[in-house]
Amino acid sequence: MNVIRSFFRLKRFLAEHKRYYLLGIGALILTNTAQLVIPKMMGNLTNLIASGEVTRGDLVRFVVYFISLSVIIAFFRYFWRINIMGTARKMEYTLRNMLFEHLQSLSPEFFNYHKTGDLMAHATNDIHAVRMALGPGIVSSVDALFLTSVILFMMARTISLQLTIVALLPLPVMLGVSFGFGRVIHRRFRRVQEAFSSLTERAQENFAGIRVIKGFARENSEEERFREVNEFNVAKNMDLVRVHALFHPLVGYLGALSFIIVLGYGGILVLDGAITIGDFVAFNSYLGMLTWPVMAIGWVMNMIQRGKASMDRLNDIFNQRSDIDDPGEKGALPELKGKIEFRDLTFTYPTSSQPVLKGINAEIAPGQIVGILGRTGSGKTTLLNLLLRLYNVKPGTLKLDGVDIDQVSVGVLRDSIGYVPQDSFLFSATIKENIDFASTGSDMGRITEYAKIAQVFDNIVEFPKQFDTVVGERGVTLSGGQKQRIAIARALIKEPQILIMDDSLSAVDTETEEAILQNLRRIFPGKTVIIVSHRISTLQAADQILVLEEGQISQRGTHDELVQVDGLYKEMYQKQLLEEQIESVS
């Protein structure tokens, strides 16, 4: 029952594809049935030869029978492989899609505490183990059940019941060994999967941070760290290998005991005339065929336990639910106009006991340009994450167009917002594909237009392949400023009602920054723009500026108003003014 419960999530797939499994199992049974005829034919041919009455015609007839059976076996073997193994491959495809789709639905908090390598192991090794359980595992199960029962019937009914009973004396021990080893294999395989997750995570982290590693000359140190996790992975695999190394020879030894018993006792029966030499040959052939299905019991236990362990790990992921409750089509707003209200907003991260934001009160009218300034750790990015609804807030503390944010469809919300994050993440695709990541269906003319608005067009046309240039993983082939401006173009091409820029001009010079801001004012009339920056020059033209200190709004007003009063804004303005003067003199 525990096994059935583990695979219950695949109930729908199995129901939709059961006819393929049934056809495959039927073909497998026919294949096995045809194989079972061969030992009896061999026995009859042996008796005929022993009697000295065999003719050339008899030999030709037996050869034709054997060839015909071989063709039948080959045909049905192909048929069951296509249906059972092919359906298992479809299951692997379906399960991997299910996992990826589910991961996409989870909130960012989940990814903060689940390593990328572990998730990759789920999508590769674990799903592979499930496929093996529902492919070769089913084949082995049918072989173990059908072949064992029919072979025992043929041996006992058509040859000798006594010889069959004697030959099966080691069978209970073989079954006990198979079940016992199955439990051990389950535990050790789960540990192998966990070790593989750690190995994948360490490799992925190193490849992603290779420039940092080389910049600090830490190659040797990282090689040692990787060696440690690799050794741990090998150790866990060797624990599993030792079980296999003991299991298969032990089962083989017990199978060999059956042959020894049959050779001794069966030989006596032949000498006593209780069975013919042909029956003895057929019995040994059946006993040889019986070795596989009995061993298949162990294989089944092995693959099912591996599949169960992996499916349990996958179910742990599937049982995770997003913290964000999306009203979907029942959302209160079909579109956003851009009004934002913060009403005594206090927010604490789920894993923290101290609030990051405390008593935030602010109102942003549609079409306003709002600047947010604050030191590192003051809560600026957190405030923006709440606007994107990456985390939940208390009812009544954050409203969009007069409606609680949790009553707005997540799809409507995020479609209406253009977001340029601090980390200008680009995908390993062409520049054109990165700019039109939102799939607006824009032609090259429109993509070019927004590249010009973001002041990155001149850089792009210098590349040999221009907009068809592949930027590399995370945009590694581009400079920081180029990545930021492509990310800005990606947000602008959506023509969102609300544009959020989280310190996304830090890597561009002041002249380019001013050109981008002028373009925003020109093409974004009536749109709400929120700009987070450490540069006063970026915020000077804002309709209102919010100054955050330790999670609270300490100042608010326009640039002209804020430079007249003592506070963080005036302090940072004077400091940056002095830096500009020093730079101009130097």
Side-chain angles (χ1 to χ4, degrees):
M1 289 301 295
N2 287 335
V3 173
I4 295 174
R5 194 179 300 117
S6 295
F7 290 96
F8 189 76
R9 195 169 301 277
L10 296 171
K11 176 184 176 182
R12 181 178 175 182
F13 174 87
L14 295 174
E16 291 176 352
H17 292 81
K18 64 180 179 182
R19 70 187 184 96
Y20 297 106
Y21 274 120
L22 291 174
L23 286 171
I25 290 171
L28 178 58
I29 290 174
L30 289 173
T31 303
N32 290 338
T33 302
Q35 288 177 317
L36 290 171
V37 176
I38 293 176
K40 196 64 180 173
M41 289 176 59
M42 288 291 295
N44 292 337
L45 178 60
T46 302
N47 283 333
L48 199 60
I49 293 172
S51 67
E53 299 175 358
V54 65
T55 65
R56 289 180 181 272
D58 293 330
L59 291 175
V60 170
R61 187 175 69 256
F62 273 103
V63 169
V64 170
Y65 288 160
F66 284 130
I67 293 175
S68 300
L69 275 174
S70 298
V71 171
I72 292 170
I73 290 169
F75 173 78
F76 284 112
R77 182 168 288 157
Y78 169 81
F79 196 77
W80 71 250
R81 282 182 175 276
I82 285 293
N83 281 278
I84 297 179
M85 300 303 192
T87 304
R89 289 287 183 180
K90 291 178 183 177
M91 181 281 304
E92 182 181 32
Y93 164 82
T94 302
L95 185 57
R96 189 169 285 123
N97 280 343
M98 287 170 58
L99 178 64
F100 188 81
E101 183 179 341
H102 182 70
L103 289 172
Q104 293 289 313
S105 72
L106 296 177
S107 53
E109 192 68 14
F110 171 85
F111 296 94
N112 291 339
Y113 299 98
H114 288 78
K115 295 180 178 180
T116 303
D118 192 32
L119 297 178
M120 291 298 295
H122 285 306
T124 52
N125 272 19
D126 282 327
I127 291 179
H128 171 76
V130 175
R131 175 179 67 79
M132 292 297 290
L134 295 181
I138 288 178
V139 174
S140 298
S141 299
V142 173
D143 280 347
L145 182 63
F146 177 78
L147 278 179
T148 301
S149 56
V150 175
I151 288 173
L152 289 177
F153 173 81
M154 295 290 288
M155 291 165 64
R157 180 67 175 163
T158 66
I159 301 176
S160 171
L161 177 61
Q162 289 179 317
L163 185 58
T164 302
I165 294 173
V166 171
L168 295 181
L169 289 177
L171 182 60
V173 181
M174 293 176 73
L175 293 175
V177 167
S178 296
F179 282 100
F181 273 80
R183 287 193 292 268
V184 176
I185 287 169
H186 176 267
R187 291 195 300 269
R188 297 197 179 187
F189 184 73
R190 190 176 184 107
R191 292 170 192 157
V192 165
Q193 296 295 72
E194 291 167 355
F196 179 76
S197 296
S198 300
L199 180 69
T200 308
E201 170 62 23
R202 183 63 54 83
Q204 184 272 337
E205 187 177 55
N206 269 262
F207 297 149
I210 190 66
R211 282 155 186 80
V212 177
I213 293 169
K214 289 186 175 294
F216 283 82
R218 298 296 294 170
E219 293 92 340
N220 293 338
S221 174
E222 289 303 311
E223 286 171 10
E224 182 59 34
R225 290 181 67 208
F226 182 80
R227 188 177 294 109
E228 289 174 2
V229 73
N230 198 17
E231 287 175 355
F232 180 75
N233 180 63
V234 170
K236 294 305 174 185
N237 273 279
M238 287 304 298
D239 287 344
L240 184 60
V241 168
R242 290 187 188 97
V243 176
H244 284 297
L246 182 60
F247 170 66
H248 293 291
L250 185 56
V251 172
Y253 169 73
L254 294 172
L257 281 181
S258 293
F259 273 107
I260 294 171
I261 292 171
V262 168
L263 285 174
Y265 187 68
I268 294 172
L269 292 178
V270 171
L271 293 175
D272 291 343
I275 61 174
T276 66
I277 186 66
D279 289 338
F280 184 64
V281 169
F283 191 92
N284 275 284
S285 297
Y286 281 128
L287 187 61
M289 293 179 67
L290 186 62
T291 303
W292 157 243
V294 171
M295 289 185 66
I297 296 172
W299 279 99
V300 170
M301 294 299 300
N302 182 353
M303 283 184 283
I304 295 298
Q305 291 297 342
R306 284 187 175 204
K308 181 183 181 303
S310 290
M311 199 66 214
D312 287 340
R313 279 166 48 87
L314 290 169
N315 283 331
D316 289 341
I317 300 295
F318 282 119
N319 291 334
Q320 298 285 337
R321 289 291 175 265
S322 175
D323 299 328
I324 307 302
D325 185 17
D326 182 11
E329 295 180 356
K330 297 179 181 179
L333 298 174
E335 60 181 12
L336 297 185
K337 295 180 179 178
K339 183 180 179 182
I340 303 170
E341 300 170 79
F342 298 99
R343 296 183 179 179
D344 197 28
L345 172 65
T346 297
F347 176 75
T348 304
Y349 281 107
T351 55
S352 175
S353 58
Q354 297 298 320
V356 181
L357 298 172
K358 294 167 279 189
I360 301 294
N361 285 283
E363 185 171 323
I364 301 172
Q368 272 195 333
I369 297 178
V370 177
I372 300 178
L373 178 135
R375 291 190 174 95
T376 301
S378 59
K380 305 184 298 298
T381 298
T382 299
L383 193 65
L384 303 184
N385 286 339
L386 298 183
L387 274 174
L388 291 164
R389 211 182 168 206
L390 300 181
Y391 298 93
N392 287 317
V393 295
K394 292 180 180 178
T397 58
L398 176 52
K399 293 179 178 288
L400 300 175
D401 296 342
V403 175
D404 268 6
I405 192 170
D406 61 358
Q407 299 302 311
V408 180
S409 164
V410 173
V412 170
L413 173 71
R414 294 175 185 168
D415 282 343
S416 302
I417 294 177
Y419 177 51
V420 189
Q422 282 180 316
D423 178 17
S424 301
F425 184 94
L426 299 183
F427 293 89
S428 183
T430 64
I431 292 174
K432 177 176 64 179
E433 290 169 331
N434 270 287
I435 291 177
D436 197 30
F437 178 69
S439 294
T440 61
S442 301
D443 55 25
M444 274 306 303
R446 194 161 180 267
I447 291 172
T448 300
E449 176 190 353
Y450 279 94
K452 290 178 178 178
I453 292 170
Q455 296 292 301
V456 72
F457 176 78
D458 291 340
N459 295 121
I460 294 173
V461 295
E462 290 175 357
F463 298 133
K465 295 185 179 180
Q466 299 187 356
F467 282 88
D468 290 322
T469 301
V470 177
V471 300
E473 188 176 12
R474 301 178 66 93
V476 71
T477 58
L478 304 177
S479 69
Q482 289 168 342
K483 286 195 291 184
Q484 281 191 338
R485 284 173 284 159
I486 289 174
I488 291 170
R490 178 174 63 190
L492 295 180
I493 203 169
K494 290 175 62 179
E495 296 185 352
Q497 190 61 38
I498 300 172
L499 176 65
I500 297 175
M501 301 176 69
D502 187 3
D503 202 17
S504 54
L505 295 168
S506 58
V508 301
D509 58 74
T510 53
E511 184 179 340
T512 304
E513 174 190 67
E514 179 59 29
I516 293 172
L517 294 174
Q518 286 181 358
N519 288 337
L520 288 181
R521 286 189 286 270
R522 176 174 57 83
I523 68 164
F524 258 47
K527 309 280 187 175
T528 303
V529 180
I530 300 175
I531 302 175
V532 171
S533 180
H534 291 93
R535 283 184 186 170
I536 300 296
S537 60
T538 309
L539 308 177
Q540 281 181 316
D543 297 310
Q544 68 167 315
I545 300 169
L546 306 177
V547 181
L548 280 178
E549 291 188 80
E550 296 181 355
Q552 296 177 301
I553 296 178
S554 61
Q555 294 178 283
R556 74 180 74 211
T558 64
H559 171 75
D560 293 336
E561 292 170 347
L562 291 173
V563 294
Q564 300 300 321
V565 296
D566 292 336
L568 176 63
Y569 190 90
K570 182 178 180 180
E571 177 188 329
M572 293 183 70
Y573 173 67
Q574 291 175 337
K575 180 181 178 182
Q576 291 178 22
L577 201 62
L578 181 61
E579 288 174 350
E580 290 174 7
Q581 290 173 350
I582 294 172
E583 186 177 345
S584 63
V585 171
S586 61

